[in-house]
Amino acid sequence: MSFSCSSILSSTPLFALLIACLVGASMGGDFFQDFDITWGDHRAKILNGGQLLTLSLDKDSGSGFRSKNEYLFGRIDMQIKLVSGNSAGTVTTFYLSSQGSTHDEIDFEFLGNVTGEPYIMHTNVFSQGKGNKEQQFHLWFDPTKAFHTYSIVWNQQRIIFLVDNIPIRVFHNSESIGVPFPTKQPMRIYSSLWNADDWATRGGLVKTDWTQAPFTASYRNFNANACVWSPGSSCTSTSPNSVQDSSWQVQVLDASGRNRLRWVQQKYMIYNYCTDLKRFPQGIPADNISVRKAKMSLSCPSKLPSLLLFASLLACLVGASMGGDFFQDFEITWGDQRAKILNGGQLLTLSLDKDSGSGFRSKNEYLFGRIDMQIKLVSGNSAGTVTTFYLSSQGSTHDEIDFEFLGNVTGEPYIMHTNVFSQGKGNKEQQFHLWFDPTKAFHTYSIVWNQQRIIFLVDNIPIRVFHNSESIGVPFPTKQPMRIYSSLWNADDWATRGGLVKTDWTQAPFTASYRNFKANACVWSPGSSCTSTSPNSVQDSSWQVQALDASGRSRLRWVQQKYMIYNYCTDLKRFPQASTYIHLLVLEQEKMSFSCSIILSSMPLFALLIACLVGASKGGDFYQDFDITWGDQRAKMLNGGQLLTLSLDKDSGSGFRSKNEYLFGRIDMQIKLVSGNSAGTVTTFYLSSQGSTHDEIDFEFLGNVTGEPYIMHTNVFSQGKGNKEQQFHLWFDPTKAFHTYSIVWNQQRIIFLVDNIPIRVFHNSESIGVPFPTKQPMRIYSSLWNADDWATRGGLVKTDWTQAPFTASYRNFNANACVWSPGSSCTSTSPNSVQDSTWQVQALDASGRNRLRWVQQKYMIYNYCTDLKRFPQGIPAECKRSRFL
């Protein structure tokens, strides 16, 4: 609860007010709200206003609790500090379970031990009442000294057990081979502390020492980013259903996760049912045979003596669906022994000598995705050599997306060549030098390919964007699945300075190295659906709508201005007729690459000027995104549209508004406020519709005398009614530097953020008759104006015009939002050209709620929820619900 609510409340009749301004996110975080004590009398306690729960065990009884909600898929996190000292005989549990003889269950159990000996962490999975899938571990830390996070990720494909976000076990869905998997029964969360000294510690040899009682385990920071089940609800893997972040729906392990899993299983696993031939003399259970091409856990094969038990060799597959093992994912296609897979599949090298080069290709074909590969190029005198990394289909009308690295003499930079082919036609080359030596270490080269665009990245820095312009007749790769290829070969007839510098074979063999491949992509097979909305076993689907935000566009400009050495867009010798480029005109509102425009000087070539847009989807350029609406020359756009300033003098202030209207989204703006004596001035940044029943979401910054803090005022209007003010001081000086002010607006809530720290959440309470902005599209507005009749200390302090002009500055605007137009669909599930759709279901996690409390306790100076003078008949309805602020 916000401190500002509780400190002034002294009477029971005002209990409704006591719960008025809860800061919580939709799921979890408050034990009063989320759990019921189920047994143990007073041995289970909820403390610290719902932020801490303790379970105790004495000789008479243990204790336990369970969640009020049932969940069907999700990510469940709980921080637990286990019983300390001599805990032998005690068992602490944390698990998900349904009810009945055919129940499903996903278990953590912690078996205590004598002082100084490690706990045993026991895991199991039950499906349709059957378990026998135990894996046990020691931990790499003392779980009694501090809180640690124990997590269960449960989706339709797999269950992942994590400790402090380190995966310790993966259990895959093998229903396709007849093995039950928990998919249909909703489960509650349970936890208990109880005595099991008949079996728990060394098979019951060590008994509980009751002189140490009571034994206590503590719980905090619960979070359920999960689908809350109710009769008739839809909790499929594609159903957000009030979920904060849906990444768990398709979560798997990437290369880093698989490495950490191996580390845990090699060093800390002490029992694995997969390798227990005494329990399973006829062979390991069928659920251990994965139908996926997943990577094998080292814990399984080392104890298996017989080919007859090959099924058990596949027993404990830990794998991520896509990539990470060169044996698994690639085929050597040419070069004999010049191509080698080493380090158990973690490294691949290609070599070139005078007789031959070498190459490989992926076993899978992909249709859309993100492909990453770390490469260390040929070192020393690499002149004449070419190393390639590309996607390609086959045939005369093939599609292709290329990285090619053209070697050079020692000390001279490589040329990185990029190209895109569609239906067999290329001629879209851009070339770059690199800002590092690509031969000294591994660097990551990435291709993001979706239905809207192709993005080339180096170490996650975008260097090129190629957009889908099929709407104007330009072919784009959308229909042909492609394999990944790489090769190292001799091209000294053209590669280095047009063939002038030949390969120095005394330096052979030349070697390039590859590691950490990752394909977060849709694996194509006949009949498969690999559209931009089809995850198809994809780990993270953000690439499906990936575009560049303001930061990405800035980095792209930096690369193109400093390191681009050739751009087909500006090659008038190759393309003397500007009309050649008309086919490249991108109809989206996008920002022009500086590299295209600087050499173009004639109006007849205007088509060329807009030919090679590198664009960001929405925002980032004030010329493109905003109109100056008032103030004459007091509002200025500078630095090629990257900076906007508003000024105020005695005659007038100034303002601007967005060209677009938005219906839901995330709006970010960096602002540096008026410095010095700003008393009487008001700087605004807000969303608003028009008319007497307008909706509005406000930031207002009320200036003050030098050295005194600004007041940051927030408000929400719906159907023309506001009166929902909260005011804050800031924890920094907003005049010294730019800070980011953000509004997240979706159908469930509005979140105000400062430098990504949440300061306020306003929830949708339409279900109890409180209007909420859902139907009126809004423009973005900002203004700087004089309000010394009320702004500073109620109008007592007047504007000092000797300090004029007053100036506020704006930069790095980004609207990751749904642009409204008549007939458009901007629901919370409609991305509508949005870069990243996480805002559609964004809520606060445990960390966000903690930061919100910190802001509200330390910096909130007014809250309408607690203003009994304004609301003598009772606080507004939206303040009275426990889940609403």
Side-chain angles (χ1 to χ4, degrees), residues 463-668:
I463 63 161
R464 179 179 183 180
V465 181
F466 183 81
H467 288 273
N468 184 339
S469 302
E470 288 184 308
S471 62
I472 54 171
V474 181
F476 184 85
T478 57
K479 298 179 178 66
Q480 299 187 66
M482 296 196 259
R483 295 185 192 270
I484 303 162
Y485 293 83
S486 193
S487 59
L488 174 57
W489 54 294
N490 180 44
D492 66 0
D493 56 335
W494 65 268
T496 306
R497 299 181 190 170
L500 295 178
V501 183
K502 301 300 182 182
T503 303
D504 180 359
W505 294 111
T506 66
Q507 306 296 312
F510 304 97
T511 302
S513 301
Y514 301 76
R515 72 179 189 189
N516 287 348
F517 159 71
K518 185 180 182 185
N520 183 9
C522 184
V523 177
W524 184 86
S525 60
S528 68
S529 174
C530 282
T531 67
S532 65
T533 57
S534 166
N536 198 28
S537 301
V538 169
Q539 306 161 38
D540 170 13
S541 60
S542 60
W543 56 264
Q544 295 179 346
V545 290
Q546 188 170 339
L548 300 191
D549 59 11
S551 171
R553 292 190 300 272
S554 295
R555 290 183 292 173
L556 180 61
R557 289 187 198 97
W558 173 75
V559 171
Q560 295 204 335
Q561 290 174 19
K562 290 184 176 289
Y563 298 100
M564 179 181 276
I565 55 176
Y566 175 79
N567 186 357
Y568 78 115
C569 294
T570 60
D571 191 340
L572 303 184
K573 291 182 180 178
R574 282 182 70 193
F575 306 102
Q577 304 302 317
S579 59
T580 303
Y581 283 92
I582 292 294
H583 71 284
L584 289 171
L585 177 59
V586 180
L587 297 180
E588 300 176 64
Q589 294 180 350
E590 296 175 313
K591 183 166 181 61
M592 192 176 307
S593 169
F594 183 75
S595 63
C596 284
S597 60
I598 56 174
I599 70 165
L600 304 174
S601 58
S602 66
M603 291 302 293
L605 291 178
F606 181 72
L608 180 59
L609 184 66
I610 57 175
C612 298
L613 303 178
V614 302
S617 53
K618 299 287 172 235
D621 183 326
F622 287 105
Y623 286 120
Q624 172 185 300
D625 297 306
F626 291 93
D627 294 313
I628 305 296
T629 50
W630 64 288
D632 298 327
Q633 299 303 311
R634 295 173 183 84
K636 297 178 182 178
M637 295 185 189
L638 308 168
N639 294 0
Q642 300 308 296
L643 181 71
L644 189 152
T645 61
L646 294 182
S647 292
L648 163 68
D649 58 32
K650 201 166 185 178
D651 294 323
S652 178
S654 50
F656 61 89
R657 74 171 190 181
S658 63
K659 294 179 179 178
N660 288 322
E661 293 180 280
Y662 304 96
L663 190 58
F664 309 121
R666 175 171 177 147
I667 308 296
D668 303 276

Side-chain angles (χ1 to χ4, degrees), residues 711-729:
I711 291 176
M712 181 174 62
H713 175 99
T714 66
N715 203 353
V716 177
F717 287 74
S718 45
Q719 297 183 20
K721 296 180 181 179
N723 296 330
K724 301 177 181 70
E725 303 91 342
Q726 288 184 359
Q727 293 181 340
F728 306 81
H729 287 152

Side-chain angles (χ1 to χ4, degrees), residues 251-460:
Q251 188 170 339
V252 297
L253 300 190
D254 59 11
S256 172
R258 292 191 301 274
N259 287 337
R260 289 184 293 174
L261 180 61
R262 288 188 198 98
W263 173 76
V264 171
Q265 295 202 336
Q266 289 173 16
K267 290 184 175 289
Y268 298 100
M269 178 180 276
I270 56 176
Y271 176 79
N272 186 356
Y273 78 116
C274 295
T275 60
D276 192 339
L277 302 183
K278 291 181 180 180
R279 282 182 70 192
F280 305 104
Q282 303 306 313
I284 302 301
D287 55 290
N288 288 284
I289 302 174
S290 173
V291 296
R292 297 179 181 274
K293 294 180 180 179
K295 187 171 179 67
M296 191 175 305
S297 167
L298 296 177
S299 62
C300 288
S302 61
K303 300 182 181 179
L304 303 175
S306 167
L307 287 174
L308 295 177
L309 290 177
F310 181 71
S312 65
L313 186 66
L314 299 175
C316 300
L317 303 177
V318 303
S321 54
M322 299 291 116
D325 184 327
F326 287 105
F327 284 122
Q328 173 185 299
D329 298 306
F330 290 94
E331 296 168 328
I332 305 298
T333 49
W334 63 288
D336 298 326
Q337 299 303 310
R338 295 172 183 85
K340 297 178 182 178
I341 299 177
L342 308 168
N343 295 358
Q346 300 306 297
L347 180 71
L348 190 153
T349 61
L350 295 182
S351 291
L352 163 69
D353 57 30
K354 200 166 187 178
D355 294 323
S356 178
S358 51
F360 63 88
R361 75 172 190 179
S362 63
K363 294 178 180 179
N364 288 321
E365 294 180 278
Y366 304 97
L367 190 59
F368 308 119
R370 175 170 177 146
I371 308 296
D372 302 275
M373 183 77 81
Q374 288 193 336
I375 308 174
K376 184 164 63 172
L377 296 177
V378 172
S379 60
N381 185 353
S382 59
T385 70
V386 174
T387 307
T388 66
F389 171 58
Y390 61 104
L391 294 171
S392 183
S393 59
Q394 298 297 307
S396 59
T397 58
H398 72 291
D399 294 336
E400 189 169 308
I401 305 168
D402 290 347
F403 277 107
E404 294 186 356
F405 304 93
L406 314 185
N408 218 326
V409 294
T410 305
E412 295 296 315
Y414 267 76
I415 291 175
M416 182 174 63
H417 174 100
T418 66
N419 203 354
V420 176
F421 287 73
S422 45
Q423 297 183 20
K425 295 181 181 178
N427 297 329
K428 302 176 183 71
E429 303 91 343
Q430 289 185 357
Q431 293 181 339
F432 306 82
H433 286 152
L434 289 163
W435 48 98
F436 53 83
D437 183 340
T439 73
K440 298 295 187 187
F442 285 91
H443 292 268
T444 304
Y445 303 90
S446 307
I447 295 167
V448 173
W449 169 36
N450 58 41
Q451 288 191 321
Q452 296 81 41
R453 62 193 60 83
I454 295 162
I455 308 174
F456 296 78
L457 303 104
V458 177
D459 290 337
N460 218 34

Side-chain angles (χ1 to χ4, degrees), residues 666-672 685 699 701 712 731-732 737-743 752-757 811-812 814:
R666 175 171 177 147
I667 308 296
D668 303 276
M669 183 76 81
Q670 288 192 337
I671 308 174
K672 184 164 64 173
F685 170 58
F699 276 107
F701 304 93
M712 181 174 62
W731 50 98
F732 53 83
F738 285 91
H739 292 269
T740 304
Y741 303 90
S742 306
I743 295 167
F752 296 78
L753 303 105
V754 177
D755 291 337
N756 217 34
I757 295 174
R811 73 179 186 188
N812 286 350
N814 190 52

